[in-house]
Amino acid sequence: MTKEGAVTGLFIGGKWIVPEGTGHYSTRNPSNGETVGTFVAGRREDVDAAISAAVKASRLWRETPAPKRGEILLNAAMNLTRRKEEVGRIVTREMGKVIAEGRGDVQESIDFIEYMAGEGRRLAGETVPSELARKFCLTVRQPKGVVACITPWNFPTAIPNWKIAAALICGNSVVFKPASTTSQCAVEVVKTYEEAGVPAGVLNLVTGSGGVVGNALVEDPRIRAVSFTGGVETGRDVYVRGARQLKMVHLELGGKNPQIVMDDADLKLALDGILFGAFGTSGQRCTATSRLLLHAKVYDEFLGMLEHRLESFKVGDPLDPSVDMGPVASEDQERKVLEYIEIGKKEAHRRVGGTKLTGGAFDKGYFIAPTVFETAHGTRISKEEIFGPLLSVVKVADYTEAVRVANDVDYGLSSSIYTRDVNRAFRAIDDLEAGITYVNAPTIGAEVHLPFGGVKNTGNGGREAGSAAIEEFTEVKSVFIDFSEHLQRAQIDPR
Ligand code: UN1
């Protein structure tokens, strides 16, 4: 099915198919331009076929006992564990993150699928007393039906698995639309479930553009919920389209995540944190540290340390294990980041980097030097999401200013504070407007068994992963069982 040069089909109703008359597109390794795979540009009619297959498979899957669904998920986790190295390398080749992170992407998938497999034996509801005698009250969780999972390229296996494994354990059928940039990774995800024994039609893949495939999914009334991770503008559009049909739309969008470094922080630890948080995944995580809010008393010392460490920071082929940072994921991404670098040069002081890397192997890929700007709070680079290896450093006088600046952005996904003062750490947990706060750790690296998401423009109030994943993909039914053998009228009969 994925022979060299061959077109990888859509996965509909348990079959890989290349429909007559479809166009094709290829994905490329952002390090060197090599083709990774060629895929079908899905059309509206392909989406229609995928949804029909999902609807058809829906009853069988929802009637499969949840622990049995869990067993199938556990098979998927074991498949992926066996293929971790192979799939990790595909992630690195297609998306450009360094190989340790390519493996990490797959490990995050495995962790989450395992966690969800266990949920098959929980999926708990509530049992509560009734206000009436001989009456029993409980809630049960039911699948929503057919759901759409629309995912980005930056975690090309982990984010799809966050959505798919959760949707499946809850008994939903899925139509999956991945970012085109990382279609091969999406195919590997789907193969994992196919081989694990997910029945035909329960998981379908339609590759293609957001404008065609994404919109067709969001607009189809048979899709009862949409789980979307991506940019704010697309997310807003998805939300509005879904709203017309009053369908549940779950959004995970951007971030402008701060790392606060207080004057009492362990500076070496904070330095390791900022390097990983800002330049891990070439800064292309929703959780990436894009702002360093640095206490005035340690400002010069810490920036000196950062500059020094970046002198030996290695950018290059992400498959080389000694490399610290690979390319950005695509030409589009490179253009956006370089535009922000130009903006930064006008409104801020460039301290490190600020260039596209050229010469030798760099010429074939989208390599940008790790970049540090010193800036006042309020500039565009200090407030807008960039999604690249660009760190904005803002000097703050004290904790109060640090929190004010941290919160004065449109996003609220992740946040971090480095301090040795336990009271201040707890105050920060109270004060930072974000879905995630780290103490003495970078803004990236959330674990899958805790809810993930944020406030303000980061989303629309929901969370995914952890226990929240079950909320995302189920309807709650309240059940009242009256075994008194006479009519009892709640709120009316005397108690
Ligand atoms: C994302 O970038 O949208 O917390 C997901 C982290 C990863 C997930 C990031 N576990 O950095």
PDB file of all heavy atoms in Angstrom, residues 70-102:
ATOM      1  N   GLY A  70     -11.275  -1.664  24.956  1.00  0.00           N
ATOM      2  CA  GLY A  70      -9.991  -1.418  25.631  1.00  0.00           C
ATOM      3  C   GLY A  70      -8.922  -2.420  25.225  1.00  0.00           C
ATOM      4  O   GLY A  70      -7.758  -2.062  25.031  1.00  0.00           O
ATOM      5  N   GLU A  71      -9.343  -3.688  25.070  1.00  0.00           N
ATOM      6  CA  GLU A  71      -8.365  -4.721  24.650  1.00  0.00           C
ATOM      7  C   GLU A  71      -7.794  -4.383  23.275  1.00  0.00           C
ATOM      8  O   GLU A  71      -6.611  -4.568  23.013  1.00  0.00           O
ATOM      9  CB  GLU A  71      -9.058  -6.082  24.537  1.00  0.00           C
ATOM     10  CG  GLU A  71      -9.082  -6.865  25.810  1.00  0.00           C
ATOM     11  CD  GLU A  71      -9.945  -8.127  25.656  1.00  0.00           C
ATOM     12  OE1 GLU A  71      -9.989  -8.720  24.548  1.00  0.00           O
ATOM     13  OE2 GLU A  71     -10.583  -8.495  26.651  1.00  0.00           O
ATOM     14  N   ILE A  72      -8.671  -3.918  22.390  1.00  0.00           N
ATOM     15  CA  ILE A  72      -8.218  -3.578  21.031  1.00  0.00           C
ATOM     16  C   ILE A  72      -7.242  -2.389  21.110  1.00  0.00           C
ATOM     17  O   ILE A  72      -6.209  -2.361  20.437  1.00  0.00           O
ATOM     18  CB  ILE A  72      -9.429  -3.291  20.115  1.00  0.00           C
ATOM     19  CG1 ILE A  72     -10.256  -4.579  19.975  1.00  0.00           C
ATOM     20  CG2 ILE A  72      -8.987  -2.772  18.761  1.00  0.00           C
ATOM     21  CD1 ILE A  72     -11.541  -4.425  19.164  1.00  0.00           C
ATOM     22  N   LEU A  73      -7.568  -1.444  21.974  1.00  0.00           N
ATOM     23  CA  LEU A  73      -6.657  -0.307  22.137  1.00  0.00           C
ATOM     24  C   LEU A  73      -5.302  -0.761  22.697  1.00  0.00           C
ATOM     25  O   LEU A  73      -4.254  -0.248  22.297  1.00  0.00           O
ATOM     26  CB  LEU A  73      -7.274   0.752  23.066  1.00  0.00           C
ATOM     27  CG  LEU A  73      -7.823   1.983  22.349  1.00  0.00           C
ATOM     28  CD1 LEU A  73      -8.875   1.620  21.319  1.00  0.00           C
ATOM     29  CD2 LEU A  73      -8.379   2.997  23.329  1.00  0.00           C
ATOM     30  N   LEU A  74      -5.374  -1.707  23.609  1.00  0.00           N
ATOM     31  CA  LEU A  74      -4.110  -2.198  24.165  1.00  0.00           C
ATOM     32  C   LEU A  74      -3.272  -2.867  23.073  1.00  0.00           C
ATOM     33  O   LEU A  74      -2.046  -2.704  23.037  1.00  0.00           O
ATOM     34  CB  LEU A  74      -4.412  -3.190  25.304  1.00  0.00           C
ATOM     35  CG  LEU A  74      -3.342  -3.349  26.359  1.00  0.00           C
ATOM     36  CD1 LEU A  74      -2.908  -2.011  26.935  1.00  0.00           C
ATOM     37  CD2 LEU A  74      -3.855  -4.249  27.487  1.00  0.00           C
ATOM     38  N   ASN A  75      -3.928  -3.584  22.166  1.00  0.00           N
ATOM     39  CA  ASN A  75      -3.208  -4.144  21.009  1.00  0.00           C
ATOM     40  C   ASN A  75      -2.533  -3.024  20.229  1.00  0.00           C
ATOM     41  O   ASN A  75      -1.385  -3.162  19.789  1.00  0.00           O
ATOM     42  CB  ASN A  75      -4.169  -4.821  20.018  1.00  0.00           C
ATOM     43  CG  ASN A  75      -4.686  -6.139  20.512  1.00  0.00           C
ATOM     44  OD1 ASN A  75      -4.096  -6.729  21.415  1.00  0.00           O
ATOM     45  ND2 ASN A  75      -5.789  -6.595  19.932  1.00  0.00           N
ATOM     46  N   ALA A  76      -3.276  -1.927  20.046  1.00  0.00           N
ATOM     47  CA  ALA A  76      -2.719  -0.801  19.276  1.00  0.00           C
ATOM     48  C   ALA A  76      -1.485  -0.252  19.994  1.00  0.00           C
ATOM     49  O   ALA A  76      -0.455   0.033  19.361  1.00  0.00           O
ATOM     50  CB  ALA A  76      -3.773   0.286  19.098  1.00  0.00           C
ATOM     51  N   ALA A  77      -1.579  -0.126  21.312  1.00  0.00           N
ATOM     52  CA  ALA A  77      -0.429   0.400  22.079  1.00  0.00           C
ATOM     53  C   ALA A  77       0.767  -0.548  21.926  1.00  0.00           C
ATOM     54  O   ALA A  77       1.918  -0.100  21.768  1.00  0.00           O
ATOM     55  CB  ALA A  77      -0.814   0.561  23.543  1.00  0.00           C
ATOM     56  N   MET A  78       0.490  -1.853  21.929  1.00  0.00           N
ATOM     57  CA  MET A  78       1.597  -2.823  21.806  1.00  0.00           C
ATOM     58  C   MET A  78       2.206  -2.780  20.401  1.00  0.00           C
ATOM     59  O   MET A  78       3.415  -2.836  20.241  1.00  0.00           O
ATOM     60  CB  MET A  78       1.120  -4.222  22.185  1.00  0.00           C
ATOM     61  CG  MET A  78       0.896  -4.327  23.687  1.00  0.00           C
ATOM     62  SD  MET A  78       0.594  -5.977  24.332  1.00  0.00           S
ATOM     63  CE  MET A  78      -0.838  -6.500  23.451  1.00  0.00           C
ATOM     64  N   ASN A  79       1.347  -2.641  19.390  1.00  0.00           N
ATOM     65  CA  ASN A  79       1.856  -2.499  18.008  1.00  0.00           C
ATOM     66  C   ASN A  79       2.809  -1.320  17.912  1.00  0.00           C
ATOM     67  O   ASN A  79       3.876  -1.403  17.309  1.00  0.00           O
ATOM     68  CB  ASN A  79       0.716  -2.168  17.029  1.00  0.00           C
ATOM     69  CG  ASN A  79      -0.111  -3.372  16.691  1.00  0.00           C
ATOM     70  OD1 ASN A  79       0.288  -4.489  17.001  1.00  0.00           O
ATOM     71  ND2 ASN A  79      -1.264  -3.140  16.072  1.00  0.00           N
ATOM     72  N   LEU A  80       2.367  -0.230  18.490  1.00  0.00           N
ATOM     73  CA  LEU A  80       3.153   0.993  18.364  1.00  0.00           C
ATOM     74  C   LEU A  80       4.442   0.895  19.184  1.00  0.00           C
ATOM     75  O   LEU A  80       5.480   1.431  18.786  1.00  0.00           O
ATOM     76  CB  LEU A  80       2.294   2.178  18.819  1.00  0.00           C
ATOM     77  CG  LEU A  80       2.585   3.526  18.194  1.00  0.00           C
ATOM     78  CD1 LEU A  80       2.717   3.458  16.686  1.00  0.00           C
ATOM     79  CD2 LEU A  80       1.480   4.528  18.572  1.00  0.00           C
ATOM     80  N   THR A  81       4.373   0.191  20.297  1.00  0.00           N
ATOM     81  CA  THR A  81       5.579   0.005  21.098  1.00  0.00           C
ATOM     82  C   THR A  81       6.619  -0.761  20.274  1.00  0.00           C
ATOM     83  O   THR A  81       7.799  -0.417  20.246  1.00  0.00           O
ATOM     84  CB  THR A  81       5.251  -0.774  22.394  1.00  0.00           C
ATOM     85  OG1 THR A  81       4.211  -0.070  23.066  1.00  0.00           O
ATOM     86  CG2 THR A  81       6.452  -0.906  23.308  1.00  0.00           C
ATOM     87  N   ARG A  82       6.135  -1.778  19.582  1.00  0.00           N
ATOM     88  CA  ARG A  82       7.030  -2.583  18.743  1.00  0.00           C
ATOM     89  C   ARG A  82       7.628  -1.736  17.620  1.00  0.00           C
ATOM     90  O   ARG A  82       8.767  -1.901  17.233  1.00  0.00           O
ATOM     91  CB  ARG A  82       6.211  -3.740  18.152  1.00  0.00           C
ATOM     92  CG  ARG A  82       6.967  -5.013  17.973  1.00  0.00           C
ATOM     93  CD  ARG A  82       6.076  -6.208  17.630  1.00  0.00           C
ATOM     94  NE  ARG A  82       4.933  -5.898  16.801  1.00  0.00           N
ATOM     95  CZ  ARG A  82       3.661  -5.999  17.206  1.00  0.00           C
ATOM     96  NH1 ARG A  82       3.380  -6.413  18.427  1.00  0.00           N
ATOM     97  NH2 ARG A  82       2.663  -5.691  16.390  1.00  0.00           N
ATOM     98  N   ARG A  83       6.826  -0.798  17.112  1.00  0.00           N
ATOM     99  CA  ARG A  83       7.257  -0.004  15.945  1.00  0.00           C
ATOM    100  C   ARG A  83       7.771   1.376  16.336  1.00  0.00           C
ATOM    101  O   ARG A  83       7.907   2.253  15.484  1.00  0.00           O
ATOM    102  CB  ARG A  83       6.080   0.149  14.972  1.00  0.00           C
ATOM    103  CG  ARG A  83       5.579  -1.161  14.411  1.00  0.00           C
ATOM    104  CD  ARG A  83       4.468  -0.910  13.402  1.00  0.00           C
ATOM    105  NE  ARG A  83       4.938  -0.114  12.279  1.00  0.00           N
ATOM    106  CZ  ARG A  83       4.203   0.816  11.665  1.00  0.00           C
ATOM    107  NH1 ARG A  83       2.988   1.087  12.083  1.00  0.00           N
ATOM    108  NH2 ARG A  83       4.687   1.493  10.649  1.00  0.00           N
ATOM    109  N   LYS A  84       8.064   1.560  17.620  1.00  0.00           N
ATOM    110  CA  LYS A  84       8.391   2.910  18.099  1.00  0.00           C
ATOM    111  C   LYS A  84       9.539   3.544  17.313  1.00  0.00           C
ATOM    112  O   LYS A  84       9.448   4.695  16.876  1.00  0.00           O
ATOM    113  CB  LYS A  84       8.733   2.859  19.599  1.00  0.00           C
ATOM    114  CG  LYS A  84       9.125   4.202  20.173  1.00  0.00           C
ATOM    115  CD  LYS A  84       9.310   4.129  21.683  1.00  0.00           C
ATOM    116  CE  LYS A  84       9.970   5.410  22.166  1.00  0.00           C
ATOM    117  NZ  LYS A  84      10.223   5.394  23.608  1.00  0.00           N
ATOM    118  N   GLU A  85      10.608   2.801  17.128  1.00  0.00           N
ATOM    119  CA  GLU A  85      11.775   3.371  16.456  1.00  0.00           C
ATOM    120  C   GLU A  85      11.433   3.729  14.995  1.00  0.00           C
ATOM    121  O   GLU A  85      11.726   4.826  14.527  1.00  0.00           O
ATOM    122  CB  GLU A  85      12.938   2.373  16.518  1.00  0.00           C
ATOM    123  CG  GLU A  85      14.245   2.872  15.928  1.00  0.00           C
ATOM    124  CD  GLU A  85      14.808   4.101  16.655  1.00  0.00           C
ATOM    125  OE1 GLU A  85      14.506   4.299  17.857  1.00  0.00           O
ATOM    126  OE2 GLU A  85      15.549   4.880  16.003  1.00  0.00           O
ATOM    127  N   GLU A  86      10.784   2.793  14.332  1.00  0.00           N
ATOM    128  CA  GLU A  86      10.427   3.003  12.925  1.00  0.00           C
ATOM    129  C   GLU A  86       9.515   4.229  12.765  1.00  0.00           C
ATOM    130  O   GLU A  86       9.767   5.115  11.924  1.00  0.00           O
ATOM    131  CB  GLU A  86       9.694   1.731  12.432  1.00  0.00           C
ATOM    132  CG  GLU A  86       9.250   1.759  11.000  1.00  0.00           C
ATOM    133  CD  GLU A  86       8.125   0.737  10.737  1.00  0.00           C
ATOM    134  OE1 GLU A  86       7.875  -0.155  11.578  1.00  0.00           O
ATOM    135  OE2 GLU A  86       7.494   0.858   9.681  1.00  0.00           O
ATOM    136  N   VAL A  87       8.475   4.299  13.580  1.00  0.00           N
ATOM    137  CA  VAL A  87       7.528   5.416  13.439  1.00  0.00           C
ATOM    138  C   VAL A  87       8.179   6.719  13.925  1.00  0.00           C
ATOM    139  O   VAL A  87       7.981   7.777  13.329  1.00  0.00           O
ATOM    140  CB  VAL A  87       6.201   5.118  14.176  1.00  0.00           C
ATOM    141  CG1 VAL A  87       5.232   6.288  14.057  1.00  0.00           C
ATOM    142  CG2 VAL A  87       5.554   3.847  13.626  1.00  0.00           C
ATOM    143  N   GLY A  88       9.001   6.619  14.966  1.00  0.00           N
ATOM    144  CA  GLY A  88       9.718   7.816  15.445  1.00  0.00           C
ATOM    145  C   GLY A  88      10.576   8.422  14.341  1.00  0.00           C
ATOM    146  O   GLY A  88      10.653   9.649  14.186  1.00  0.00           O
ATOM    147  N   ARG A  89      11.189   7.573  13.553  1.00  0.00           N
ATOM    148  CA  ARG A  89      12.018   8.068  12.439  1.00  0.00           C
ATOM    149  C   ARG A  89      11.157   8.681  11.336  1.00  0.00           C
ATOM    150  O   ARG A  89      11.545   9.657  10.706  1.00  0.00           O
ATOM    151  CB  ARG A  89      12.898   6.938  11.872  1.00  0.00           C
ATOM    152  CG  ARG A  89      13.974   6.495  12.849  1.00  0.00           C
ATOM    153  CD  ARG A  89      14.797   5.351  12.308  1.00  0.00           C
ATOM    154  NE  ARG A  89      15.884   5.827  11.449  1.00  0.00           N
ATOM    155  CZ  ARG A  89      17.043   6.264  11.900  1.00  0.00           C
ATOM    156  NH1 ARG A  89      17.287   6.304  13.197  1.00  0.00           N
ATOM    157  NH2 ARG A  89      17.973   6.676  11.073  1.00  0.00           N
ATOM    158  N   ILE A  90       9.988   8.116  11.133  1.00  0.00           N
ATOM    159  CA  ILE A  90       9.081   8.712  10.134  1.00  0.00           C
ATOM    160  C   ILE A  90       8.654  10.103  10.612  1.00  0.00           C
ATOM    161  O   ILE A  90       8.617  11.057   9.830  1.00  0.00           O
ATOM    162  CB  ILE A  90       7.858   7.789   9.883  1.00  0.00           C
ATOM    163  CG1 ILE A  90       8.324   6.484   9.233  1.00  0.00           C
ATOM    164  CG2 ILE A  90       6.817   8.492   9.016  1.00  0.00           C
ATOM    165  CD1 ILE A  90       7.253   5.412   9.100  1.00  0.00           C
ATOM    166  N   VAL A  91       8.366  10.229  11.908  1.00  0.00           N
ATOM    167  CA  VAL A  91       7.996  11.552  12.458  1.00  0.00           C
ATOM    168  C   VAL A  91       9.124  12.543  12.177  1.00  0.00           C
ATOM    169  O   VAL A  91       8.896  13.657  11.681  1.00  0.00           O
ATOM    170  CB  VAL A  91       7.723  11.451  13.982  1.00  0.00           C
ATOM    171  CG1 VAL A  91       7.596  12.851  14.605  1.00  0.00           C
ATOM    172  CG2 VAL A  91       6.461  10.634  14.261  1.00  0.00           C
ATOM    173  N   THR A  92      10.339  12.137  12.467  1.00  0.00           N
ATOM    174  CA  THR A  92      11.480  13.038  12.275  1.00  0.00           C
ATOM    175  C   THR A  92      11.679  13.366  10.794  1.00  0.00           C
ATOM    176  O   THR A  92      11.931  14.514  10.438  1.00  0.00           O
ATOM    177  CB  THR A  92      12.741  12.407  12.894  1.00  0.00           C
ATOM    178  OG1 THR A  92      12.546  12.404  14.312  1.00  0.00           O
ATOM    179  CG2 THR A  92      13.998  13.175  12.551  1.00  0.00           C
ATOM    180  N   ARG A  93      11.533  12.371   9.942  1.00  0.00           N
ATOM    181  CA  ARG A  93      11.733  12.628   8.506  1.00  0.00           C
ATOM    182  C   ARG A  93      10.651  13.527   7.924  1.00  0.00           C
ATOM    183  O   ARG A  93      10.911  14.360   7.081  1.00  0.00           O
ATOM    184  CB  ARG A  93      11.744  11.299   7.729  1.00  0.00           C
ATOM    185  CG  ARG A  93      13.085  10.575   7.819  1.00  0.00           C
ATOM    186  CD  ARG A  93      13.037   9.276   7.045  1.00  0.00           C
ATOM    187  NE  ARG A  93      12.677   9.498   5.664  1.00  0.00           N
ATOM    188  CZ  ARG A  93      11.802   8.754   4.974  1.00  0.00           C
ATOM    189  NH1 ARG A  93      11.190   7.752   5.550  1.00  0.00           N
ATOM    190  NH2 ARG A  93      11.546   9.022   3.712  1.00  0.00           N
ATOM    191  N   GLU A  94       9.444  13.348   8.400  1.00  0.00           N
ATOM    192  CA  GLU A  94       8.363  14.101   7.761  1.00  0.00           C
ATOM    193  C   GLU A  94       8.121  15.465   8.403  1.00  0.00           C
ATOM    194  O   GLU A  94       7.711  16.406   7.730  1.00  0.00           O
ATOM    195  CB  GLU A  94       7.061  13.280   7.800  1.00  0.00           C
ATOM    196  CG  GLU A  94       6.011  13.799   6.834  1.00  0.00           C
ATOM    197  CD  GLU A  94       4.801  12.879   6.731  1.00  0.00           C
ATOM    198  OE1 GLU A  94       4.320  12.425   7.780  1.00  0.00           O
ATOM    199  OE2 GLU A  94       4.342  12.623   5.599  1.00  0.00           O
ATOM    200  N   MET A  95       8.399  15.571   9.713  1.00  0.00           N
ATOM    201  CA  MET A  95       8.071  16.813  10.422  1.00  0.00           C
ATOM    202  C   MET A  95       9.307  17.589  10.839  1.00  0.00           C
ATOM    203  O   MET A  95       9.252  18.805  11.007  1.00  0.00           O
ATOM    204  CB  MET A  95       7.191  16.432  11.629  1.00  0.00           C
ATOM    205  CG  MET A  95       6.680  17.593  12.443  1.00  0.00           C
ATOM    206  SD  MET A  95       7.935  18.029  13.667  1.00  0.00           S
ATOM    207  CE  MET A  95       7.350  19.610  14.200  1.00  0.00           C
ATOM    208  N   GLY A  96      10.419  16.909  11.043  1.00  0.00           N
ATOM    209  CA  GLY A  96      11.672  17.616  11.293  1.00  0.00           C
ATOM    210  C   GLY A  96      12.099  17.737  12.747  1.00  0.00           C
ATOM    211  O   GLY A  96      13.160  18.286  13.035  1.00  0.00           O
ATOM    212  N   LYS A  97      11.301  17.234  13.692  1.00  0.00           N
ATOM    213  CA  LYS A  97      11.758  17.320  15.092  1.00  0.00           C
ATOM    214  C   LYS A  97      12.908  16.332  15.291  1.00  0.00           C
ATOM    215  O   LYS A  97      12.987  15.317  14.574  1.00  0.00           O
ATOM    216  CB  LYS A  97      10.622  17.096  16.079  1.00  0.00           C
ATOM    217  CG  LYS A  97       9.901  15.771  16.013  1.00  0.00           C
ATOM    218  CD  LYS A  97       8.840  15.637  17.112  1.00  0.00           C
ATOM    219  CE  LYS A  97       7.592  16.428  16.868  1.00  0.00           C
ATOM    220  NZ  LYS A  97       6.551  16.234  17.898  1.00  0.00           N
ATOM    221  N   VAL A  98      13.790  16.619  16.251  1.00  0.00           N
ATOM    222  CA  VAL A  98      14.963  15.746  16.443  1.00  0.00           C
ATOM    223  C   VAL A  98      14.502  14.349  16.855  1.00  0.00           C
ATOM    224  O   VAL A  98      13.421  14.172  17.424  1.00  0.00           O
ATOM    225  CB  VAL A  98      15.963  16.327  17.487  1.00  0.00           C
ATOM    226  CG1 VAL A  98      16.612  17.592  16.953  1.00  0.00           C
ATOM    227  CG2 VAL A  98      15.290  16.569  18.830  1.00  0.00           C
ATOM    228  N   ILE A  99      15.348  13.356  16.584  1.00  0.00           N
ATOM    229  CA  ILE A  99      14.922  11.967  16.719  1.00  0.00           C
ATOM    230  C   ILE A  99      14.472  11.614  18.152  1.00  0.00           C
ATOM    231  O   ILE A  99      13.513  10.857  18.336  1.00  0.00           O
ATOM    232  CB  ILE A  99      15.998  10.981  16.167  1.00  0.00           C
ATOM    233  CG1 ILE A  99      15.514   9.534  16.225  1.00  0.00           C
ATOM    234  CG2 ILE A  99      17.347  11.158  16.817  1.00  0.00           C
ATOM    235  CD1 ILE A  99      14.309   9.226  15.370  1.00  0.00           C
ATOM    236  N   ALA A 100      15.122  12.198  19.165  1.00  0.00           N
ATOM    237  CA  ALA A 100      14.674  11.913  20.541  1.00  0.00           C
ATOM    238  C   ALA A 100      13.217  12.362  20.698  1.00  0.00           C
ATOM    239  O   ALA A 100      12.413  11.694  21.363  1.00  0.00           O
ATOM    240  CB  ALA A 100      15.556  12.631  21.553  1.00  0.00           C
ATOM    241  N   GLU A 101      12.888  13.472  20.067  1.00  0.00           N
ATOM    242  CA  GLU A 101      11.508  13.963  20.151  1.00  0.00           C
ATOM    243  C   GLU A 101      10.577  13.190  19.213  1.00  0.00           C
ATOM    244  O   GLU A 101       9.380  13.072  19.495  1.00  0.00           O
ATOM    245  CB  GLU A 101      11.452  15.450  19.801  1.00  0.00           C
ATOM    246  CG  GLU A 101      12.126  16.317  20.826  1.00  0.00           C
ATOM    247  CD  GLU A 101      11.992  17.805  20.505  1.00  0.00           C
ATOM    248  OE1 GLU A 101      11.269  18.152  19.563  1.00  0.00           O
ATOM    249  OE2 GLU A 101      12.622  18.587  21.199  1.00  0.00           O
ATOM    250  N   GLY A 102      11.116  12.687  18.108  1.00  0.00           N
ATOM    251  CA  GLY A 102      10.311  11.827  17.226  1.00  0.00           C
ATOM    252  C   GLY A 102       9.869  10.586  18.001  1.00  0.00           C
ATOM    253  O   GLY A 102       8.702  10.204  17.992  1.00  0.00           O
TER     254      GLY A 102
END
